[in-house]
Amino acid sequence: MAVFWQALVSGIAVGAIYALIALGFNIIFQTTRIINFAQGEFVMVGALVGYSLTVVLGWPMPVSLIGVALISAVVGAVTERLVMLPVQRSTYRYSWIITTLAVAIILRNLMGTPWLYGREDYRVPPLVPGAFFLGPAVVVYQQVIILGIAAILLVLVEVFYQRTFLGKAIRATAFNYDVAGLMGIPVPTMIRASFAISAAVSGIAGVLVAPLIFANVSMGILIGLKGFVAIIIGGLGSPRGAVIGGLIVGVLDTTVRALAPEGWGNFIVFGVLAVMLLIRPTGLFGKPGAQH
C-alpha cells in the first residue's frame, strides 16, 4: 500500500503536466482541427529555455516562468506559419500530419545543435526545494507547485476564453471560419494566437516538469505522446476532458510502473488509447464529430 500511495501522489503531479499538454493540443485543435504532433517539442523548448534562464543567467524562477511563456509563445507563432502555410496550399486532407511531424523534427534538431544544447541532460532547479511526508508517501514541494500552477493556468485559460475580447474572437474562429471573417475577426491572426497560447502553456509545463526529470532535446517525444493520449481519452474539444485525461494517464502510468515489471507503464497507457479509440473515439467528454 505504501508503494501504491507513493505512486498515486506522484501520478497526480505528473498527470497535471499531461493535462497542460493535453490542453495545448486542444487549444490548437479547436481553431484549426489539426492535432499538433510538435506539441511535445514545445515542452522541450520550455524546459531547456528554463534551464538557460535560471541556471545560466541566474533569473529567479518566477521571472523565468514569464520569460519561458513569452519565448515559447514566439516559437508557437513561428510554428504556426511552418504548419499552416503548407496545409493551406496542399490539397491533401491530412497533410497536417506530415507537416507537424516535420516541425517537431526541425525543432528537435535545431535545439540539439552543438552551439545550443546538444544531446546533454540538464537539471532545472525546483521552484521550492525540499519535501514532506503525506502519510507513507514522500511529496516534494515541486509536485505541489506543479499542481498549483497547473490549476491556475487552467483557470486563466478558461477565463481568457470566456471573458476577454481576444478569447471570444478565438472561440468564434473555432466555431466557424467564414462567419468569424464576416464579423470582421482576422481569422489568420486568431489561429496564430492559438498556436502562441498553446506553446506558452506547454512551455511552462516543461519548466515545471524539468526539476523532476532531466531536460534534454529528446524529452518531448514521449511526454508529447502521453499528452496526446490524455486528450484522446478526455475528448478533443473539451478543456475538462484535458484535465481528466491528463490525471488518468498520470496516475495510470506511475501506478503501473511502480507495481508492474519494467516497460509495462507505456504498454498500458497506449493500450488504453487503443481501447478508447475502439469503444469511444470521441473520448469521455468529446462531442460527436470532434474526432475528425
Side-chain angles (χ1 to χ4, degrees), residues 85-259:
L85 193 59
V87 169
Q88 291 165 353
R89 293 181 175 178
S90 174
T91 57
Y92 179 51
R93 181 181 178 186
Y94 296 107
S95 60
W96 55 266
I97 297 176
I98 298 173
T99 304
T100 56
L101 288 174
V103 170
I105 294 171
I106 290 171
L107 286 174
R108 195 178 312 132
N109 283 280
L110 179 63
M111 297 295 284
T113 52
W115 54 86
L116 282 178
Y117 296 98
R119 302 292 171 177
E120 300 178 26
D121 294 327
Y122 299 93
R123 175 73 74 182
V124 178
L127 189 63
V128 178
F132 63 94
F133 283 96
L134 183 63
V138 178
V139 181
V140 297
Y141 287 114
Q142 183 66 22
Q143 292 174 325
V144 179
I145 295 295
I146 287 174
L147 288 173
I149 294 180
I152 291 171
L153 279 177
L154 292 167
V155 171
L156 287 177
V157 169
E158 185 65 21
V159 170
F160 169 77
Y161 278 119
Q162 298 294 335
R163 302 293 183 183
T164 67
F165 175 79
L166 179 58
K168 292 178 181 179
I170 293 176
R171 288 174 58 206
T173 302
F175 181 75
N176 190 297
Y177 282 7
D178 296 329
V179 173
L182 290 173
M183 294 173 61
I185 296 173
V187 172
T189 302
M190 296 303 102
I191 293 175
R192 192 169 300 117
S194 70
F195 270 82
I197 295 169
S198 174
V201 170
S202 296
I204 292 174
V207 179
L208 294 177
V209 75
L212 304 181
I213 60 175
F214 284 110
N216 57 62
V217 294
S218 300
M219 66 180 292
I221 300 173
L222 188 57
I223 201 169
L225 284 174
K226 290 183 179 178
F228 171 69
V229 174
I231 194 58
I232 294 300
I233 292 175
L236 280 166
S238 171
R240 177 175 59 173
V243 176
I244 300 300
L247 292 175
I248 289 174
V249 172
V251 171
L252 186 63
D253 189 24
T254 55
T255 302
V256 172
R257 286 178 183 275
L259 302 177

Side-chain angles (χ1 to χ4, degrees), residues 37-52:
F37 288 114
Q39 200 70 38
E41 272 53 50
F42 290 162
V43 179
M44 175 268 293
V45 169
L48 291 175
V49 171
Y51 168 82
S52 293

